[in-house]
Amino acid sequence: MSGYRSNPNSAFRRFLAIIRELLDSPTSAFGLVVVTILLLTAIVAPLLAPYDPNVVDLGNTLKPPSSEHWFGTDELGRDIMSRIIHGTRISLTIITIVSVIVGPIGLLVGTTAGYFGGWYDTVMMRITDIFLSFPSLILSLAFVAALGAGLENAIIAIGLTTWPPIARLARAETLTFRGADYISASRMQGASALRIIVKSIMPMCLPSVLVRVTLSMATVILTAAGLGFLGLGAQPPLPEWGAMIATGRRYMLDNWWLVAFPGGAILLVSLAFNLLGDGLRDALDPKQR
């Protein structure tokens, strides 16, 4: 394993092989393409958006989709397409920060609990069970209520509610590895528990954790949109998709585009991450085929 990890060419070839496997499946290819478009759109949003997303034009309010405004305008005359394009930055920011939080936390908690066992495992898993006993949106609402409304606090709240499934998965993987011969050999050679966990166990858990994190991104987007819809996430005038639906729901009976396009963006991106996660599971673990 160490020889494989230390060879950049082998890692790059493995990466290309995973991409090819993803593209071979129509569903995972769709997810990969949509996520790639999301990333590129977030990078070039100011160049891609036809209008400033926050400029108010009261003489151009509630205009239906047209050649001038492809997705129409909202109650303040702002271009909805431009706001959705800039909203990809907010969604990508939430996804990235939450991934950085929940991945290491869940991996660390799960691998240490599975390796050490005993009272430490019992305590950490009971804490994990407490988090898992609440729906993620309800628990996020509780954390945001304690921390205060805002995008930053919403990201923290979502991160705190997303790590338990990853910890459970990492623990289950660790329980299958800790009795392996190479782990026993490392102990006999005097390797510390920290070295064994970091060098031998965590790399073996990474593929499963990566798949789980990818699948969790759909839940993250929906939770962020739910918090934004309730006014506890991104605050106006930020063009967050859930907040856009919240402001547009008062006019949606006569102006369907106010909620249809932001809702379609949430649906499309959530579906893409689910399909991409399924494809990664098959590519990283052929037994799942």
Side-chain angles (χ1 to χ4, degrees), residues 124-185:
M124 298 308 298
M125 288 303 102
R126 295 299 77 76
I127 294 174
T128 302
D129 289 339
I130 292 173
F131 277 86
L132 289 173
S133 64
F134 295 93
S136 59
L137 180 58
I138 301 301
L139 195 56
S140 297
L141 285 172
F143 281 122
V144 172
L147 298 172
L151 180 59
E152 296 81 4
N153 291 338
I155 292 174
I156 295 173
I158 295 171
L160 290 174
T161 60
T162 310
W163 66 267
I166 299 173
R168 274 289 185 186
L169 177 62
R171 175 183 178 270
E173 293 274 333
T174 303
L175 290 176
T176 64
F177 296 140
R178 70 177 184 180
D181 291 340
Y182 70 93
I183 299 294
S184 300

Side-chain angles (χ1 to χ4, degrees), residues 263-274:
I266 296 172
L267 171 63
L268 183 63
V269 175
S270 300
L271 177 63
F273 274 106
N274 272 328

Side-chain angles (χ1 to χ4, degrees), residues 204-219:
M204 298 296 291
C205 297
L206 277 178
S208 299
V209 169
L210 177 61
V211 171
R212 181 66 209 188
V213 169
T214 305
L215 290 171
S216 297
M217 291 305 99
T219 304

